[in-house]
Amino acid sequence: MTETMAPLRKTALNAVHRAAKSKMVDFGGWDMPVDCCGLIAEHMAVRTAVGVFDVSHMGDIQLRGPGSLAAVQHLCMNDASKLAVGQAHYSAMLYPNGTFVDDVVVHKLSDNDYLIVINAGTREKDVQWVRRTIGHMPGVHVNDFSDYYTQLAIQGPRAAETLQKLTSTDLSSIKNYWFTWGQVCGLYNVMIARTGYTGEDGFEIYIPSDEPTSARVWGEVLEAGAEFGILACGLGARNTLRLEAGMALYGHEISDTINVLEAGLGRYAKLDKPEFVGRDALLEVQAAGGPGRKLVGLEMIERGIGRDGYAVFSIEGKRLGDITSGSPSPFLKKNIAMAYVPVEYTALDTEVAVEIRGQMVKAKVVPLPFYKRPKKTA
Amino acid sequence: MAYPADYRYTKEHEWIKVDGNIGTIGITDYAQNSLGDIVFVELPKVGDSVEATKSFGSVESVKAVSDLFAPVSGKVTAINEELKDAPEKINADANTTWLLKVELVDAKQVDGLLTAADYEKFTSEETGH
């Protein structure tokens, strides 16, 4: 078999990960750490203290100019007119049939300036889609800033205390899904966003992507969090954390064959907005009484781990659908999964069977998310 | 990583230590390291037969599931019951944490397996790039 292999892309922290002997894998064409010092330890550090992730492989598209709001509104399903400067929200770019180009986070930098953070594996496709879909619109420039930033995610209940040591910006003044600019580790104008993908409190910071700066900041974050037991975390823990938190992952829960309503993300699709790509298709699904299948949470009742792609059956043996993500949950100590099943099988506690290497293993429908961070009492 | 010289190895990353006509089988340090945190081991029952090169069970880490392949043919005489509740022992010490013991059908099958030196070379080629 001949295959032309493009060289793996590397973040500015690649040498740091390799020097730390992190286990590296090919992730959507990127050479990324999957596991730095043990997935379970990393996962627990984020749930109970703090962890730091290199998420520089994610992409950043900037829409700039007086037409940028109109462009975002046409391109994305959430209502960006509701955003204040310094605020961000979860959204998605859809195809006309209501399925996903990608899920995104839209940041309003100024009245004429939006930053859309996109997934790593879909970067090229997303940038092309944006250019094709809104490139003709007046007053908007599309800039692909993906390679300009090293993006670090500092996540966990001690994330604020950790990052606060490295910045004079009062982090307590940043609300969830808001961001600001400040000085971090002596660097000017660092975007500090209270966002993340772990179900915990945390921050994502955007620093210049040169290697010495990236390595220095990475080191300073680890040092600042040392007293809390901070761990460098890989994509393995990122995946189990987001799964526990019931968050969708492109290529798993969402894709170009799954629509927003099936994925349970309808609350982010503002159908009362006059128009956006995919809106008509979603209205049609709604008019027809809603989607025929839906994403559910499953918890294994019997021993066994339902993995991505495993088939789900009714107890009577009818094929219902597939698991989209499945794993042992390090925090809940249960085997959990998400799967698409027909709506008549989505009631809580409905028993189903997962085919695990030829055997039918019982599971039941449970609420999503599997894990919700405890509310602060203070 | 350490590969005891008196063990033999498969390309699927199992080890076998032979004592008389009993073979003790485990997975290698390389395998446990590649898998990461091991959370579940599925093994045959005592009295079952296993067949050389065929799957006899599986080992699961948080992120992956991997088939276990028998280095030799034989009848299962013991399984490591400790692993039911503490599969992470494999991560702690893969070389001494055995999975099962089999009574060999044909002791000559062992001669066809990799030596420690062969295995070390094989794994360094697999990772070297």
Side-chain angles (χ1 to χ4, degrees):
Chain A
M1 200 169 75
T2 50
E3 220 176 315
T4 43
M5 292 276 289
L8 290 182
R9 302 176 74 168
K10 294 174 179 175
T11 73
L13 288 163
N14 191 268
V16 172
H17 300 315
R18 292 206 165 265
K21 299 229 176 336
S22 292
K23 217 173 289 164
M24 307 297 282
V25 291
D26 176 351
F27 179 83
W30 289 77
D31 186 42
M32 296 299 288
V34 62
D35 179 328
C36 299
C37 65
L39 194 161
I40 293 176
E42 293 165 27
H43 183 110
M44 294 307 286
V46 173
R47 284 275 178 262
T48 62
V50 56
V52 57
F53 302 78
D54 175 13
V55 289
S56 312
H57 58 311
M58 297 192 61
D60 313 281
I61 301 174
Q62 186 201 36
L63 302 184
R64 184 166 220 170
S68 55
L69 175 60
V72 174
Q73 291 291 62
H74 179 59
L75 197 61
C76 299
M77 66 181 190
N78 207 334
D79 186 357
S81 73
K82 297 271 165 48
L83 288 175
V85 172
Q87 196 178 11
H89 67 198
Y90 181 79
S91 189
M93 303 192 290
L94 306 181
Y95 290 112
N97 68 0
T99 66
F100 292 85
V101 179
D102 199 6
D103 64 338
V104 301
V105 176
V106 176
H107 302 74
K108 181 171 180 171
L109 307 183
S110 77
D111 284 337
N112 293 324
D113 202 349
Y114 292 82
L115 184 74
I116 303 178
V117 176
I118 58 174
N119 281 301
T122 51
R123 239 164 86 162
E124 276 70 29
K125 179 190 86 171
D126 287 5
V127 173
Q128 279 177 20
W129 175 258
V130 170
R131 291 192 193 284
R132 201 160 72 227
T133 308
I134 55 127
H136 65 282
M137 291 177 73
V140 59
H141 295 280
V142 179
N143 296 309
D144 180 5
F145 280 155
S146 302
D147 293 327
Y148 291 24
Y149 299 113
T150 283
Q151 190 181 338
L152 302 186
I154 300 133
Q155 301 278 299
R158 312 305 286 270
E161 284 166 275
T162 299
L163 187 60
Q164 191 63 73
K165 293 184 190 177
L166 305 172
T167 179
S168 52
T169 298
D170 175 17
L171 297 179
S172 69
S173 68
I174 308 174
K175 284 180 286 191
N176 195 32
Y177 265 75
W178 286 71
F179 61 93
T180 188
W181 284 268
Q183 216 171 321
V184 177
C185 296
L187 299 164
Y188 291 99
N189 251 340
V190 173
M191 190 168 124
I192 309 167
R194 199 158 201 158
T195 52
Y197 189 54
T198 58
E200 292 304 322
D201 183 23
F203 297 85
E204 292 178 295
I205 59 170
Y206 298 71
I207 60 172
S209 68
D210 69 279
E211 286 186 33
T213 303
S214 301
R216 178 173 67 82
V217 174
W218 178 261
E220 288 186 29
V221 170
L222 286 174
E223 209 179 295
E227 65 165 306
F228 311 121
I230 195 172
L231 292 179
C233 301
L235 295 172
R238 191 169 160 81
N239 188 50
T240 50
L241 287 158
R242 71 90 199 165
L243 173 58
E244 282 181 353
M247 293 170 168
L249 174 63
Y250 195 86
H252 294 257
E253 286 71 38
I254 57 178
S255 75
D256 59 7
T257 62
I258 294 161
N259 76 48
V260 173
L261 300 173
E262 292 171 325
L265 296 170
R267 66 189 181 280
Y268 300 103
K270 301 302 179 206
L271 296 171
D272 51 347
K273 228 169 58 164
E275 74 82 44
F276 60 89
V277 180
R279 178 177 178 266
D280 293 348
L282 296 182
L283 285 172
E284 268 174 46
V285 173
Q286 221 179 33
R293 60 173 180 170
K294 273 188 176 167
L295 188 69
V296 292
L298 295 181
E299 183 183 310
M300 301 306 299
I301 300 173
E302 294 177 321
R303 218 166 163 150
I305 303 164
R307 304 265 181 190
D308 307 16
Y310 286 10
V312 179
F313 291 83
S314 72
I315 293 300
E316 297 76 38
K318 183 182 156 206
R319 179 92 149 79
L320 301 179
D322 293 318
I323 285 178
T324 51
S325 297
S327 165
S329 157
F331 186 77
L332 304 169
K333 310 247 186 308
K334 292 169 178 169
N335 295 326
I336 57 172
M338 290 195 272
Y340 280 98
V341 298
V343 284
E344 56 270 32
Y345 291 90
T346 56
L348 293 184
D349 295 323
T350 302
E351 286 195 11
V352 297
V354 178
E355 186 180 0
I356 301 178
R357 291 183 297 284
Q359 297 204 356
M360 291 297 175
V361 182
K362 272 189 191 165
K364 65 172 180 187
V365 175
V366 297
L368 286 174
F370 303 100
Y371 165 86
K372 216 172 187 171
R373 105 169 84 119
K375 284 229 176 357
K376 267 191 194 153
T377 45
Chain B
M1 281 174 221
Y3 307 114
D6 57 338
Y7 291 12
R8 289 299 188 99
Y9 300 86
T10 69
K11 286 190 175 178
E12 284 78 31
H13 310 290
E14 289 82 19
W15 56 256
I16 181 166
K17 181 179 185 241
V18 178
D19 193 2
N21 68 336
I22 297 293
T24 302
I25 295 167
I27 68 165
T28 67
D29 200 24
Y30 176 88
Q32 71 75 19
N33 184 56
S34 311
L35 280 162
D37 296 312
I38 292 170
V39 292
F40 187 43
V41 187
E42 195 185 346
L43 295 172
K45 290 187 215 39
V46 171
D48 285 356
S49 291
V50 300
E51 199 180 330
T53 76
K54 296 278 165 61
S55 169
F56 68 80
S58 63
V59 54
E60 299 204 41
S61 68
V62 180
K63 55 179 191 270
V65 50
S66 224
D67 277 323
L68 293 163
F69 293 93
V72 294
S73 302
K75 195 183 226 184
V76 178
T77 61
I79 63 160
N80 187 348
E81 298 284 353
E82 271 186 348
L83 297 179
K84 254 187 199 149
D85 296 318
E88 67 278 5
K89 280 180 183 258
I90 299 171
N91 291 118
D93 190 348
N95 285 332
T96 61
T97 309
W98 57 281
L99 304 178
L100 73 173
K101 294 178 191 281
V102 296
E103 193 180 320
L104 305 189
V105 170
D106 176 5
K108 280 201 290 291
Q109 283 181 336
V110 178
D111 299 335
L113 298 171
L114 302 176
T115 64
D118 293 338
Y119 181 70
E120 193 156 10
K121 188 159 171 270
F122 170 70
T123 54
S124 66
E125 279 163 6
E126 202 167 69
T127 49
H129 54 80

